[in-house]
């Protein structure tokens, strides 16, 4: 699993990124890291249930489809006013500090589907799923904590 969600019963996997070519979640998708046997697909059965999703260092080191899955899942399972917090490196306006640009090159050399993502693209996908970016906080090591709230 690439992300986790937190609710009254604990955490469970979310956003495994297993998608068909049409962008819809694959019925055959699965992920390890389930809690009490609930996988990313199972979590979607809990609409408007969770208060918080925390995603740490996943978006840059997973295929873009994993981010699409995370945002889709968050848009469905977060309560109104629920928060998605994403931590990691981002490009802003297509650029970043030199260390993050070098990190982006290194990631893409390991796997072309990985890379430091443009914050504007991540925010646009979140908005499409009903999530509003409410704050971006600079963190150590040139990372950001990006806070999204479900409208």
């Amino acid at each position: 699993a690439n992300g986790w969600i937190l609710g009254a019963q604990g955490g469970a996997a979310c956003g495994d990124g297993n998608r068909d070519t049409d962008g819809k979640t694959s019925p055959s998708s699965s992920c390890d890291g389930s809690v009490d046997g609930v996988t990313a697909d199972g979590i979607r059965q809990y609409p408007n249930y969770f208060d918080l999703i925390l995603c740490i260092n996943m978006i840059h080191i997973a295929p873009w489809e994993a981010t699409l899955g995370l945002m889709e899942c968050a848009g469905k399972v977060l309560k109104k006013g629920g928060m998605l917090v994403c931590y990691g490196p981002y490009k802003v306006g297509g650029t970043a500090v030199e260390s993050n640009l070098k990190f982006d090159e290194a990631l893409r050399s390991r796997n072309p589907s990985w890379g430091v993502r443009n914050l504007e693209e991540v925010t646009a996908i979140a908005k499409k799923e009903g999530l509003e970016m409410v704050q971006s906080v600079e963190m150590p090591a040139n990372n950001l904590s990006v806070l999204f709230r479900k409208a």
Side-chain angles (χ1 to χ4, degrees), residues 41-137:
D41 284 336
I43 284 304
R44 290 178 177 88
Q45 298 175 27
Y46 295 92
N48 305 307
Y49 183 79
F50 295 95
D51 297 309
L52 173 68
I53 299 175
L54 179 60
C55 178
I56 299 174
N57 285 330
M58 183 277 290
I59 291 176
H60 63 283
I61 201 158
W64 179 243
E65 291 78 13
T67 300
L68 298 177
L70 172 68
M71 296 302 175
E72 176 194 17
C73 186
K76 289 180 179 174
V77 304
L78 281 172
K79 293 177 182 176
K80 183 176 180 174
M83 299 295 294
L84 167 63
V85 179
C86 298
Y87 171 87
Y90 294 89
K91 294 179 187 174
V92 177
T95 192
V97 296
E98 185 176 346
S99 61
N100 279 357
L101 293 175
K102 287 182 179 181
F103 183 47
D104 181 53
E105 287 179 25
L107 288 171
R108 292 179 190 276
S109 73
R110 289 176 56 199
N111 186 325
S113 69
W114 296 355
V116 176
R117 308 297 180 189
N118 288 304
L119 182 58
E120 297 85 358
E121 292 175 7
V122 173
T123 301
I125 294 299
K127 185 175 183 177
K128 180 181 169 218
E129 299 296 343
L131 305 167
E132 172 190 11
M133 186 179 87
V134 293
Q135 190 173 9
S136 176
V137 180

Side-chain angles (χ1 to χ4, degrees), residues 134-145:
V134 293
Q135 190 173 9
S136 176
V137 180
E138 292 186 18
M139 303 297 287
N142 299 311
N143 287 310
L144 296 175
S145 285

